C-alpha cells in the first residue's frame, strides 16, 4: 500500500519505517527541512534502538523516502497518518494547532479519495474536528475519511513495540476506512479492536493516564513502606503476581517523566474539567509524582547532612533507559533542586549527554560512570541503564570520597551494597 506520514518525529519515523519494512511504500514528510535533509543523509535526529538499521534498509530497498512537501504526500499516498506533536499549553490543554495546520494543507491538496488517520495522541473529539476542518477547506468536494489509530510505542523499544503490539485500535466511521486499515494491519498477529473514533481517542489517553496512575500508586505505597520498614520490591512482586494487577509498571522510583505521561495526564485532566467531571484523581497522580522527586532530594540531604560544597555524582539523566530523551526527565528537577542547595553535580549518561549539555547549565559532565564518581561525596542513580547495574562496585568505592549510594531506581541489592561497605539508600525499602 502507499502510505504517507506527516510529522517525522519519534512516532512518525518508527511507524513509517515499520510499514515500509512490511512491504508498503512510504513517504515520511516533515516541514522541518533540516530534519529531512538529515534523514536523507542517513542520520536519525534522536536515539532509538534498531531504528537506524530499519530506516537504512528500507530506504536502500526503495520503499522509504523523505519529503518536505504535503502536496507530494497527498498525491502519492492512499492512507495518510498524522504524527505531528501535540504539546501542552500552560493550562494543560493539548495544543492542536499543528493538527489543524496539517488538516488544512491536506484538504487543499486532495485530488482523489484519501484516508486520513490521526496517530498523534489527541483529546477525544479531535477526529471530528479534523473531519470538519478538512471538509470546510475541501473546495473540490473530494471523498475522504478520517480515522483514529492511536499508537502505543514506548521510547527505547519503539521498533520492537511497532512489530509486536498488544492490540491494534482502529477508530473508524466508515466501512471503507475500516477495510483499508484492516488490510494494512493484516501482517500483525495482535488482536484488532474496531471501534468509533471517539472511543479510540479515549483508549489512548486513558491508557497513558492509567499507567501513570499505576506508577504513582506504587510510589505512594513505597513512601508508606519506607515509614514502616517494609520492602516495596517484595510488595510490588506480591501485588503484581495477582493476574488482575499484573507486574508491569509497578517499579517504584523517582517518578515518571518523558514527553507522554506528564503531558497526556494533564490533557486528560483538562478534558475531565471541561466536561464538568472531577479531575482530583488525575491531579493526585501528578502530585505524587512531584512529591517523589522532592522526597528523593530530602533523602540525599538526610544522607549527607549539608549539601553545600558537596560533590554529587549523578548516574543517568534520560527519563528512562535506551533513550537520549530528557524531556520532563525527573533527573532535571532533582538536579536543579540539589544545585539550589549548593551541591556540585558531576553527571554521566550513556546516551543523553549531548542533549543534557544543552539543558543542564552549571553541571559538569564525565566521560564514564567511574570518572563521574571520582572523589564524589555520593552517587545518585537516576536512570536504570544496564551498564550501571553492571558496574564494578569495588572500583566505585575506591574512587569515591565517601561510599554513599542513593539509588532512585532500586537497581542494587541493599544487602550486597552494605556488605561491600556502602551506605546505601533506595526507594521504599
Ligand atoms: C508511554 C507509554 O508506555 C506508551 O505506550 C505510549 O505509546 C507513549 O507513552 C506515548 O504516548 O507516546 P514512554 O513515555 O516512551 O511510553 O515510556 P514508558 O516506558 O511508558 O515510561 C514512562 C515513564 O515511567 C519513565 O520515566 C519510566 O521511568 C517511568 N516508569 C515506568 C516508572 O517509574 N516505573 C515503572 O514501573 C514504569
Amino acid at each position: 500500500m502507499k502510505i504517507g506520514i506527516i510529522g517525522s518525529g519519534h512516532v512518525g519515523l518508527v511507524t513509517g519505517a515499520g510499514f515500509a519494512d512490511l512491504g508498503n511504500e512510504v513517504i515520511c514528510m516533515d516541514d522541518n527541512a533540516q530534519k529531512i535533509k538529515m534523514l536523507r543523509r542517513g542520520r536519525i535526529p534522536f536515539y532509538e534502538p534498531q531504528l537506524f538499521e530499519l530506516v537504512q534498509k528500507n530506504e536502500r530497498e526503495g520503499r522509504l523516502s523523505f519529503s518536505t512537501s504535503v502536496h507530494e504526500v497527498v498525491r502519492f499516498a492512499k492512507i495518510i497518518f498524522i504524527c505531528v506533536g501535540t504539546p501542552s499549553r500552560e493550562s494543560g490543554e493539548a495544543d492542536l494547532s499543528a493538527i489543524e495546520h496539517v488538516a488544512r494543507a491536506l484538504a487543499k491538496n486532495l485530488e482523489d479519495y484519501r484516508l486520513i488517520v490521526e496517530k498523534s495522541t489527541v483529546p477525544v473529539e479531535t477526529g471530528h474536528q479534523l473531519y470538519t476542518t478538512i471538509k470546510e477547506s475541501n473546495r473540490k468536494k473530494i471523498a475522504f475519511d478520517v480515522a483514529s489509530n492511536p499508537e502505543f510505542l514506548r521510547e527505547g523499544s519503539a521498533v520492537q513495540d511497532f512489530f509486536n503490539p498488544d492490540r491494534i485500535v482502529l477508530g473508524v466511521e466508515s466501512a471503507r476506512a475500516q477495510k483499508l486499515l484492516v488490510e494494512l494491519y493484516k501482517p500483525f498477529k495482535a488482536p484488532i479492536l474496531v471501534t468509533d473514533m471517539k472511543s479510540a481517542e479515549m483508549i489512548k489517553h486513558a491508557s497513558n493516564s492509567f499507567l501513570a496512575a499505576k506508577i504513582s500508586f506504587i510510589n505512594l505505597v513505597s513512601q508508606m513502606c519506607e515509614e514502616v520498614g517494609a520492602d516495596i520490591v517484595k510488595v510490588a512482586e506480591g501485588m503484581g503476581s495477582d493476574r488482575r494487577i499484573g507486574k508491569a509498571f509497578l517499579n517504584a522510583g523517582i517518578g515518571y517523566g518523558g514527553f507522554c505521561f506528564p503531558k497526556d495526564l494533564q490533557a486528560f485532566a483538562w478534558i475531565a474539567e471541561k466536561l464538568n467531571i472531577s479531575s482530583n484523581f488525575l491531579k493526585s497522580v501528578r502530585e505524587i509524582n512531584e512529591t517523589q522527586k522532592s522526597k528523593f532530594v530530602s533523602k540525599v540531604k538526610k544522607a549527607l547532612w549539608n549539601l553545600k560544597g558537596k560533590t554529587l555524582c549523578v548516574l543517568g539523566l534520560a527519563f528512562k533507559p535506551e533513550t537520549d530523551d530528557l524531556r520532563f526527565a525527573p533527573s532535571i528537577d532533582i538536579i536543579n533542586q540539589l544545585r539550589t542547595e549548593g551541591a556540585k553535580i558531576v553527571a554521566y549518561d550513556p546516551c543523553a549527554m549531548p542533549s543534557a549539555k544543552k539543558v543542564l547549565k552549571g553541571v559538569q559532565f564525565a566521560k564514564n560512570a567511574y570518572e563521574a564518581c571520582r572523589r564524589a561525596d555520593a552517587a545518585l542513580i537516576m536512570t536504570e541503564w544496564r551498564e550501571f547495574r553492571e558496574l564494578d562496585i569495588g572500583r566505585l568505592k575506591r574512587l569515591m570520597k565517601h561510599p554513599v549510594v542513593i539509588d532512585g531506581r532500586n537497581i542494587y541489592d541493599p544487602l550486597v551494597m552494605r556488605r561491600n561497605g556502602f551506605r546505601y539508600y533506595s526507594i521504599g525499602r
Side-chain angles (χ1 to χ4, degrees):
M1 290 175 115
K2 291 189 166 160
I3 310 291
I5 305 279
I6 305 219
S8 299
H10 229 108
V11 175
L13 213 50
V14 173
T15 306
F19 278 135
D21 206 58
L22 292 169
N24 301 289
E25 285 177 69
V26 181
I27 299 183
C28 283
M29 182 264 162
D30 203 290
D31 56 11
N32 180 339
Q34 203 58 35
K35 192 190 274 180
I36 294 299
K37 209 163 150 189
M38 204 172 161
L39 287 164
R40 281 184 178 145
R41 283 197 193 131
R43 286 175 54 211
I44 309 287
F46 49 84
Y47 175 73
E48 179 63 49
Q50 301 175 26
L51 185 59
F52 172 71
E53 294 79 2
L54 194 71
V55 167
Q56 227 188 16
K57 174 182 166 217
N58 285 284
E59 209 186 352
R60 200 178 46 231
E61 292 173 5
R63 288 184 300 269
L64 178 65
S65 59
F66 302 100
S67 172
T68 50
S69 155
V70 177
H71 177 71
E72 191 184 341
V73 172
V74 180
R75 218 177 38 184
F76 169 83
K78 180 94 171 225
I79 307 180
I80 300 164
F81 286 94
I82 303 183
C83 302
V84 297
T86 52
S88 291
R89 286 182 192 283
E90 199 133 326
S91 61
E93 179 187 9
D95 180 350
L96 301 174
S97 50
I99 303 242
E100 182 183 344
H101 179 74
V102 171
R104 297 205 187 277
L106 288 174
K108 250 196 265 159
N109 287 286
L110 281 179
E111 294 288 343
D112 202 355
Y113 172 83
R114 294 293 179 256
L115 171 58
I116 293 149
V117 188
E118 44 171 33
K119 224 180 205 324
S120 311
T121 305
V122 288
V124 60
E125 296 183 318
T126 303
H128 286 84
Q129 205 71 46
L130 190 61
Y131 181 84
T132 316
T133 308
I134 297 176
K135 199 169 166 205
E136 194 180 85
S137 310
N138 177 12
R139 299 243 161 79
K140 294 185 203 154
K141 305 259 178 288
I142 310 283
F144 72 96
D145 276 309
V146 170
S148 163
N149 168 220
E151 62 78 24
F152 301 97
L153 310 176
R154 289 163 301 172
E155 283 184 32
S157 55
V159 173
Q160 276 299 319
D161 291 347
F162 176 84
F163 289 109
N164 306 290
D166 286 344
R167 76 307 206 181
I168 291 154
V169 175
L170 305 179
V172 290
E173 305 282 319
S174 82
R176 192 176 187 178
Q178 178 173 339
K179 192 164 169 257
L180 275 170
L181 285 174
V182 167
E183 175 73 24
L184 178 65
Y185 277 103
K186 224 179 203 162
F188 292 82
K189 284 191 210 94
I192 295 184
L193 175 69
V194 178
T195 178
D196 60 283
M197 253 192 323
K198 287 184 198 168
S199 303
E201 292 167 333
M202 199 60 126
I203 288 170
K204 173 64 204 253
H205 245 159
S207 298
N208 271 8
S209 302
F210 186 83
L211 290 170
K214 205 172 172 191
I215 299 169
S216 277
F217 186 85
I218 204 68
N219 281 335
L220 180 77
V221 179
S222 82
Q223 293 172 19
M224 295 166 82
C225 284
E226 251 169 54
E227 293 303 320
V228 300
D231 180 343
I232 191 63
V233 175
K234 292 282 173 221
V235 172
E237 195 185 332
M239 286 170 62
S241 302
D242 184 327
R243 263 181 300 164
R244 292 170 304 173
I245 296 174
K247 290 203 164 93
F249 279 68
L250 281 185
N251 296 321
I254 49 175
Y256 59 77
F259 196 57
C260 301
F261 285 176
K263 139 180 111 63
D264 291 351
L265 188 82
Q266 244 188 316
F268 207 47
W270 191 88
I271 296 168
E273 274 166 28
K274 200 179 79 174
L275 299 171
N276 246 332
I277 295 164
S278 165
S279 63
N280 287 349
F281 172 75
L282 300 168
K283 281 189 180 144
S284 300
V285 170
R286 184 178 176 210
E287 261 168 43
I288 295 168
N289 202 52
E290 293 306 308
T291 309
Q292 209 62 10
K293 292 182 258 186
S294 47
K295 278 201 173 278
F296 186 75
V297 173
S298 305
K299 205 183 282 267
V300 178
K301 276 168 78 175
K302 206 166 155 195
L304 299 183
W305 196 14
N306 294 301
L307 294 186
K308 196 162 172 219
K310 300 260 164 79
T311 302
L312 304 178
C313 149
V314 168
L315 296 182
L317 297 166
F319 82 99
K320 65 181 220 175
E322 300 301 329
T323 177
D324 59 355
D325 199 343
L326 276 177
R327 289 175 296 177
F328 302 99
S331 65
I332 297 187
D333 283 347
I334 293 173
I335 286 175
N336 287 337
Q337 289 180 39
L338 293 170
R339 290 197 62 233
T340 311
E341 297 281 340
K344 180 183 160 205
I345 309 288
V346 183
Y348 168 72
D349 187 285
C351 209
M353 303 277 270
S355 25
K357 284 178 186 164
K358 286 182 209 147
V359 293
L360 283 169
K361 299 293 168 207
V363 168
Q364 201 179 311
F365 294 96
K367 282 199 190 75
N368 58 49
Y370 296 111
E371 195 191 296
C373 288
R374 197 182 292 277
R375 310 276 321 136
D377 289 284
L380 277 41
I381 312 289
M382 302 256 196
T383 317
E384 65 277 34
W385 284 94
R386 171 129 50 104
E387 77 169 67
F388 300 152
R389 293 182 197 272
E390 293 167 355
L391 286 175
D392 173 351
I393 52 168
R395 184 172 167 202
L396 209 66
K397 187 171 170 234
R398 287 192 296 278
L399 285 168
M400 292 177 72
K401 191 161 158 195
H402 301 295
V404 180
V405 170
I406 305 153
D407 181 355
R409 297 291 184 180
N410 290 351
I411 63 171
Y412 299 124
D413 180 338
L415 260 178
V416 173
M417 293 305 279
R418 281 172 203 140
R419 240 186 253 139
N420 279 278
F422 280 92
R423 205 146 49 87
Y424 177 74
Y425 305 85
S426 54
I427 306 287
R429 54 182 189 168

